[in-house]
Amino acid sequence: GIQVEQSPPDLILQEGANSTLRCNFSDSVNNLQWFHQNPWGQLINLFYIPSGTKQNGRLSATTVATERYSLLYISSSQTTDSGVYFCAVELATSGSRLTFGEGTQLTVNP
Amino acid sequence: DAGITQSPRHKVTETGTPVTLRCHQTENHRYMYWYRQDPGHGLRLIHYSYGVKDTDKGEVSDGYSVSRSKTEDFLLTLESATSSQTSVYFCAIKAYGYTFGSGTRLTVV
């Protein structure tokens, strides 16, 4: 089945640092999304990005569909960026269902 | 906010009892989903629906059933709850991308 692998599994930063999170997937996708799960458990949609590059403030994402990976960039990190970041994909061949990676646990220290 | 409401938000139940979780949407989306989230795992798909009375299994469907008699409501039922079903349950809809509800924390004791 579809494999979605995220790296690193854990990341600890000082406030103000930059970071890159990676998502590799094993097959062609119709949809790729990045989510942030905050410490209260809410899943916040960051980007809908099956291909190309998008930016939203300090966050940006790039998906290279032909090479089957996506990157999430966080610049000038803040303590409120802490939480788990999930990559999730919808396979081109499996219909409308989203498969999640295991996530990256990000801790930003003041 | 995509207008997704999950109820209850928290529930503690005893082993062997039936439990029903409700997901309600206000925007008439065709696709609705139930996921569970456990420590050490990402979210895993339990069941999903692609229309009224149209449902299909996900990767962790054993012990769960679903029903969708109206477009706006998608119910998840644990016929006889077990401790292994202690988890956080998320409902989702598919519109432009997927949007998730706030989750239901279920504890089976």
Side-chain angles (χ1 to χ4, degrees):
Chain A
I2 182 73
Q3 298 291 324
V4 183
E5 296 180 341
Q6 292 187 241
S7 60
D10 298 280
L11 186 59
I12 300 174
L13 302 173
Q14 287 300 121
E15 203 166 23
N18 302 327
S19 61
T20 301
L21 282 58
R22 186 177 179 101
C23 173
N24 293 331
F25 44 93
S26 60
D27 210 335
S28 300
V29 297
N30 283 336
N31 177 18
L32 187 147
Q33 285 181 251
W34 284 96
F35 295 90
H36 176 217
Q37 188 167 40
N38 63 24
W40 297 270
Q42 289 182 300
L43 279 165
I44 310 299
N45 180 45
L46 298 176
F47 293 102
Y48 169 83
I49 187 166
S51 64
T53 297
K54 292 185 177 179
Q55 181 158 6
N56 184 5
R58 296 181 296 104
L59 274 61
S60 64
T62 295
T63 297
V64 183
T66 54
E67 298 186 22
R68 298 183 182 168
Y69 72 89
S70 183
L71 302 174
L72 178 68
Y73 304 96
I74 304 174
S75 65
S76 303
S77 58
Q78 301 175 358
T79 57
T80 53
D81 294 331
S82 296
V84 183
Y85 289 81
F86 287 105
C87 170
V89 303
E90 180 188 289
L91 257 186
T93 55
S94 71
S96 294
R97 44 201 300 176
L98 209 58
T99 300
F100 279 76
E102 298 287 306
T104 292
Q105 174 76 58
L106 175 65
T107 303
V108 181
N109 292 321
Chain B
D1 187 346
I4 304 172
T5 305
Q6 292 187 231
S7 59
R9 291 297 311 278
H10 302 272
K11 186 172 182 65
V12 179
T13 192
E14 294 187 347
T15 299
T17 61
V19 177
T20 295
L21 309 182
R22 179 179 183 241
C23 179
H24 178 80
Q25 60 147 329
T26 59
E27 299 183 355
N28 208 36
H29 294 293
R30 179 183 174 194
Y31 286 90
M32 299 183 75
Y33 304 81
W34 279 107
Y35 285 81
R36 62 178 287 174
Q37 184 179 25
D38 304 295
H41 293 277
L43 279 72
R44 293 181 291 174
L45 181 64
I46 305 171
H47 282 279
Y48 67 103
S49 170
Y50 46 96
V52 173
K53 299 191 189 303
D54 292 322
T55 64
D56 204 352
K57 296 179 180 180
E59 61 179 307
V60 290
S61 59
D62 287 348
Y64 302 94
S65 62
V66 290
S67 66
R68 193 164 178 205
S69 59
K70 300 184 290 184
T71 299
E72 59 266 34
D73 289 326
F74 191 33
L75 304 180
L76 177 71
T77 297
L78 291 64
E79 300 291 347
S80 178
T82 67
S83 58
S84 65
Q85 293 175 312
T86 292
S87 188
V88 180
Y89 291 85
F90 287 95
C91 173
I93 59 96
K94 179 181 177 180
Y96 178 76
Y98 292 73
T99 301
F100 285 78
S102 298
T104 294
R105 185 173 296 276
L106 177 68
T107 302
V108 183
V109 298

